Amino acid sequence: MAYDQTDAAPTLAARLDAELRDAHPLAILRKAYETFGDKLALVSSFGAESAVLLHLASQVSKDIPVLFLDTGMLFGQTLDYRKSLAAELGLTDVRDLRPAFADLAVTDPRSDLWRTDTDACCHIRKVLPLDRAIADFSAWCTGRKRFHGGDRLRLAVVEDADGQLKFNPLANWSKAELDAYVAEHQLPAHPLVAQGFPSIGCWPCTKPVDDPNADVRAGRWQGQDKTECGIHVARAPGVAPNVGGDI
């Protein structure tokens, strides 16, 4: 079915979530693409677990826009992986989103804002660039999963995100299912995974993790209460936070 602008997002989200809550990730992606077509985007960090969702999406359409937040503080290995993985999967429309020069000049002229205010740093380098880009779409897909724990345990497969629909095709999958899919399709790993990084973001705020039993995001913002960069938090005043794991 084509997306009907008269169908309110919360109602459509609830209906699709009921329909897809137990579906295979590929079926979820196909339904999202069937419903929204070129108004659907996929947001990817090209991080430790990103290859699975990107491979699934490439089977639906290699032309789905993939939005990649190039914060200016990513590991060089992530930038290399973004190029090599996109080429291997044949993705034709990977868009590099970068912070606005004016935002950096005013708020972070010395590129050291992360030392004093990580929330503000994420806001200008991730939240604002994504908000600008995502405004052109009616729905988007993320790679978040419930097994990441915390607030992600309540993650829906389809949810309303400030008037847009957000699909989380991998919400139901376990780490074992992800690993099995990677092995089956021989997907290349992010090079930092072998160096002990189970989750990969910007270099100042991402550390390797020695404990194999630690939370998968234990290396992100170590020693801080912060667990999310902000792109999955509702913008509208009074709306409950819409949080999740890796994009």
Side-chain angles (χ1 to χ4, degrees):
M1 95 177 198
Y3 176 50
D4 182 355
Q5 293 282 358
T6 64
D7 198 349
T11 303
L12 181 58
R15 179 161 56 79
L16 288 175
D17 184 60
E19 176 184 341
L20 300 169
R21 63 182 52 173
D22 297 318
H24 188 279
L26 187 56
I28 296 168
L29 282 164
R30 283 176 173 152
K31 184 66 174 184
Y33 188 66
E34 172 191 329
T35 304
F36 291 97
D38 60 6
K39 287 298 182 180
L40 175 73
L42 187 152
V43 177
S44 178
S45 64
F46 282 83
E49 298 172 348
S50 297
V52 171
L53 184 61
L54 291 168
H55 182 269
L56 287 162
S58 73
Q59 296 178 65
V60 176
S61 172
K62 297 184 185 300
D63 300 329
I64 294 176
V66 177
L67 308 182
F68 170 63
L69 289 162
D70 182 354
T71 65
M73 291 197 171
L74 297 178
F75 290 94
Q77 292 93 328
T78 298
L79 299 177
D80 291 342
Y81 187 60
R82 169 253 180 269
K83 293 179 181 177
S84 63
L85 184 59
E88 179 167 331
L89 298 180
L91 302 173
T92 66
D93 191 7
V94 180
R95 306 180 188 185
D96 299 326
L97 310 182
R98 298 182 175 90
F101 175 78
D103 292 336
L104 294 176
V106 171
T107 310
D108 193 14
R110 294 189 298 273
S111 296
D112 60 356
L113 183 59
W114 60 270
R115 296 180 183 274
T116 57
D117 193 339
T118 53
D119 284 341
C121 186
C122 286
H123 187 71
I124 62 171
R125 295 177 180 276
K126 292 185 176 181
V127 176
L128 292 179
L130 182 59
D131 278 356
R132 294 178 184 121
I134 212 71
D136 294 331
F137 298 92
S138 299
W140 48 300
C141 298
T142 85
R144 299 177 297 161
K145 306 122 188 132
R146 293 194 193 111
F147 78 80
H148 285 167
D151 290 314
R152 306 166 203 87
L153 291 171
R154 304 192 304 269
L155 187 64
V157 169
V158 186
E159 55 190 335
D160 172 43
D162 303 331
Q164 293 173 312
L165 261 66
K166 189 186 291 187
F167 291 82
N168 305 303
L170 299 174
N172 295 324
W173 269 19
S174 65
K175 183 68 164 60
E177 287 173 302
L178 286 177
D179 290 345
Y181 189 92
V182 168
E184 178 185 356
H185 297 280
Q186 299 182 318
L187 300 179
H190 190 296
L192 288 179
V193 170
Q195 298 181 36
F197 290 80
S199 180
I200 301 160
C202 296
W203 66 262
C205 300
T206 307
K207 307 297 181 189
V209 177
D210 295 329
D211 183 0
N213 298 315
D215 183 278
V216 72
R217 287 171 63 82
R220 306 289 290 275
W221 304 288
Q222 275 187 1
Q224 302 181 45
D225 292 334
K226 181 179 175 70
T227 60
E228 303 292 342
C229 66
I231 65 171
H232 295 298
V233 177
R235 310 288 186 266
V239 176
N242 177 18
V243 297
D246 285 354
I247 56 177

